[in-house]
Amino acid sequence: MLNKNAQALIEFVLLLPVIIILIFSGIDIFNLIIKKNNLSTRVNDEIVLLESKKETFIEFEKRLESENIDITFKTNDDYIIIKAEKEVKWISPITESILSNFTISLERVIPLE
């Protein structure tokens, strides 16, 4: 009976780091999804203000850059492309070593009238 308990303990000790890595990686992925959603919502809110002429491009850019969001604009005769990027900080050192310097980005197209 003692050998089965010892074997279970050894298996648990061997699998514990894998379980911890999976838990923290799952938290990191969930955190990434939330940050992507927050970035999208934040940029869309600013675009609504921009389209309703309540703010200018300079105010738009300053407000988002104050939140460490990099903004680039590309203009055309028919539309403006706004690209937003934000760097992700990881919780897990394993995820950090695999996906270091990871940035989330999105593009929005605003048609000109």
Side-chain angles (χ1 to χ4, degrees), residues 36-51:
K36 175 91 174 179
N37 187 33
N38 288 344
L39 178 65
S40 177
T41 302
R42 188 71 184 99
V43 169
N44 287 341
D45 290 345
E46 291 296 322
I47 288 174
V48 167
L49 289 174
L50 192 63
E51 287 178 335

Side-chain angles (χ1 to χ4, degrees), residues 40-41 43-44 47 80-84 106-110:
S40 177
T41 302
V43 169
N44 287 341
I47 288 174
I80 298 172
I81 298 175
I82 299 173
K83 184 175 182 182
L106 59 92
E107 287 187 5
R108 295 292 185 258
V109 177
I110 300 176

Side-chain angles (χ1 to χ4, degrees), residues 49-102:
L49 289 174
L50 192 63
E51 287 178 335
S52 65
K53 310 247 189 278
K54 292 185 179 176
E55 76 175 5
T56 63
F57 280 107
I58 296 170
E59 293 170 335
F60 176 87
E61 190 173 18
K62 283 182 182 178
R63 190 170 298 153
L64 290 178
E65 284 182 350
S66 69
E67 299 175 16
N68 296 326
I69 300 172
D70 296 326
I71 298 292
T72 55
F73 298 101
K74 293 181 185 176
T75 59
N76 194 341
D77 291 337
D78 299 327
Y79 53 85
I80 298 172
I81 298 175
I82 299 173
K83 184 175 182 182
E85 293 181 335
K86 187 169 186 172
E87 190 172 328
V88 176
K89 302 290 183 201
W90 301 108
I91 297 171
S92 169
I94 301 295
T95 312
E96 177 73 34
S97 65
I98 295 171
L99 299 172
S100 61
N101 299 329
F102 188 80

